Amino acid sequence: MRVLVAHNRYQVRGGEDAAVARDLAALEQAGCAVEAVFLDNDAIASGLDRLRAAVGATHAPEGIARVMAAARRFAPDVIHVHNFFPLLSPGIHAAARSAGCATVQTLHNYRLVCANAFLMRDGAPCELCVAGSPYRAVRFACYRGSRIGSLAVARMIDHHRRAGTWRRDVDRFIALTPFARERFVEAGFPADKIRIRPNGLPDPGPSGDGARQGLLYVGRLSPEKGLIVLAEAAARAGLRVTVIGEGPLASALTGHPGLDLKGALPPDAVQAAMARASALVVPSLWYEGLPMVVAEAFAAGTPVVASRIGALAGLVAEGTSGLLAEPGDAADLASALGRIAGDPAAAAAMGREARAVYEREWREDVTTRALLEIYRDAVAARAADIPLTRTGT
């Protein structure tokens, strides 16, 4: 299998960039011939640069030309597109189809249906544009607080929706969770082309049967992550949560009696903290895409206390691999934290099930096999479609 990966990297390295890097390494280890074309947002420095990139997001000819030049030289069986915004654009799929290449698009976020990519507005979930007009984003300046930028992104969404890009030019989509798949199907994406495959995570090895202690939060310190609710819940429960991460709420949360802020820590220190904790807490107020901290906790045999919202409600099985609480409800979250802290035996049992879930669904060899099957499916679909394309039907 020859795989060409195309990815528009972010200015601040995040989860998508890390997932792409892991996939590349896993594919090479599986024996695939792999090449990657990276476009970098570092060149988008000024407001004018951002506006120019947003306006060109509907069809970015320079980015498409770079990928297709690599495709002509490398002759891939499949072109796998990760982030396309804004320097590559969804137009890459039509170019690849014209060249006879199978294409796969991973839906890391909701950019194809939502201008800000998060299905969130004013601190709460928002699905106005899922089945409705994407131009509603202009009214609320959903893209970086800019109506002009929001208009450009809405135009991209609307153009490719009307042009039939998703039904005609993409052979297979990868949704990270069943919840995400449902949102895209509701938005009109072809259900028969969407496969569910989570991002993989290398196995850190079992964490052992040592005593666990304390509650842990790992992530960005920002309002949508539910840190204010977590602080109140911890105080209500008379508990203290170790917090690893940075963000705009750091100064406001410093000194709170329910939180112990550690700042950013290196990956090995985070992994060690996961392995020691009684539970990881994910109190988000928005639709998380696929928070890899859940996979990391499960890999460490650590149960998760999460908000009952979006994908999280499906990732954590109530009473089996963790506990769920109503988003934004500090009292309900405090109750869940108290249950974990007050019953170490039950928490340990949930941790063992969490580890079993990781081994079945998230371990890298499992997700790599699933990815290769999606590639084979896409290649077969493109081969079956070529004769029809040539006859104009």
Side-chain angles (χ1 to χ4, degrees):
M1 181 73 70
R2 299 179 66 80
V3 183
L4 179 65
V5 171
H7 178 56
N8 192 152
R9 289 190 286 210
Y10 294 83
Q11 286 178 319
V12 178
R13 181 180 169 87
E16 289 182 34
D17 297 318
V20 172
R22 285 194 297 267
D23 273 358
L24 287 169
L27 288 169
E28 289 180 347
Q29 187 173 357
C32 296
V34 185
E35 185 165 320
V37 177
F38 292 114
L39 296 94
D40 290 282
N41 282 349
D42 288 340
I44 307 174
S46 67
L48 181 59
D49 291 336
R50 287 192 291 271
L51 179 59
R52 186 182 296 113
V55 170
T58 298
H59 187 84
E62 292 182 9
I64 292 172
R66 281 187 57 188
V67 174
M68 295 314 299
R72 287 190 294 273
R73 175 178 47 77
F74 182 64
D77 296 302
V78 62
I79 297 177
H80 185 171
V81 181
H82 288 271
N83 179 41
F84 56 81
F85 183 81
L87 300 178
L88 183 55
S89 89
I92 181 58
H93 292 288
R97 177 175 178 267
S98 296
C101 296
T103 67
V104 172
Q105 172 71 62
T106 292
L107 303 167
H108 287 284
N109 55 46
Y110 297 101
R111 181 75 70 191
L112 295 180
V113 298
C114 171
N116 68 23
F118 302 123
L119 293 183
M120 182 178 184
R121 179 171 56 83
D122 295 334
C126 173
E127 297 190 26
L128 284 176
C129 296
V130 171
S133 169
Y135 291 104
R136 294 179 180 182
V138 180
R139 173 186 173 190
F140 299 108
C142 291
Y143 179 72
R144 297 177 178 253
S146 166
R147 286 191 170 86
I148 295 176
S150 299
L151 175 62
V153 183
R155 178 174 171 268
M156 177 197 74
I157 296 170
D158 185 55
H159 171 82
H160 290 285
R161 180 183 292 177
R162 291 178 183 273
T165 297
W166 312 128
R167 293 186 173 275
R168 182 188 63 244
D169 297 333
V170 183
D171 295 297
R172 291 296 179 266
F173 296 92
I174 297 176
L176 303 183
T177 66
F179 176 82
R181 183 182 186 276
E182 291 171 4
R183 302 278 74 70
F184 283 103
V185 170
E186 186 177 347
F189 283 63
D192 60 326
K193 290 188 175 186
I194 305 177
R195 304 291 183 264
I196 299 171
R197 180 256 180 188
N199 295 325
L201 185 70
D203 191 350
S207 60
D209 298 323
R212 300 292 190 105
Q213 187 174 14
L215 300 166
L216 178 68
Y217 171 89
V218 178
R220 182 169 168 76
L221 311 187
S222 53
E224 73 277 6
K225 294 291 190 177
L227 269 299
I228 300 298
V229 178
L230 176 59
E232 182 181 346
R236 280 174 177 249
L239 298 168
R240 194 165 174 83
V241 179
T242 298
V243 175
I244 298 175
E246 297 177 319
L249 291 181
S251 59
L253 296 172
T254 298
H256 193 283
L259 304 180
D260 182 13
L261 272 62
K262 299 295 188 182
L265 296 178
D268 58 343
V270 175
Q271 184 175 320
M274 289 266 193
R276 292 192 303 266
S278 298
L280 177 79
V281 191
V282 186
S284 295
L285 305 178
W286 70 298
Y287 295 157
E288 295 274 4
L290 183 66
M292 289 306 289
V293 289
V294 175
E296 291 166 7
F298 280 15
T302 303
V304 174
V305 179
S307 296
R308 188 181 287 105
I309 186 172
L312 290 171
L315 294 175
V316 178
E318 172 71 27
T320 302
S321 59
L323 299 174
L324 295 168
E326 290 303 307
D329 188 330
D332 199 27
L333 181 57
S335 175
L337 298 180
R339 286 174 60 188
I340 286 284
D343 193 343
M350 285 187 277
R352 288 190 293 272
E353 177 57 28
R355 171 68 190 183
V357 171
Y358 162 76
E359 292 179 348
R360 289 195 307 268
E361 301 178 12
W362 299 71
R363 203 174 61 196
E364 196 170 60
D365 61 325
V366 174
T367 59
T368 301
R369 284 196 297 272
L371 181 57
L372 290 172
E373 183 59 34
I374 293 169
Y375 287 165
R376 286 189 284 269
D377 200 16
V379 170
R382 174 55 53 212
D385 186 56
I386 287 175
L388 297 178
T389 301
R390 287 173 179 167
T391 59
T393 59

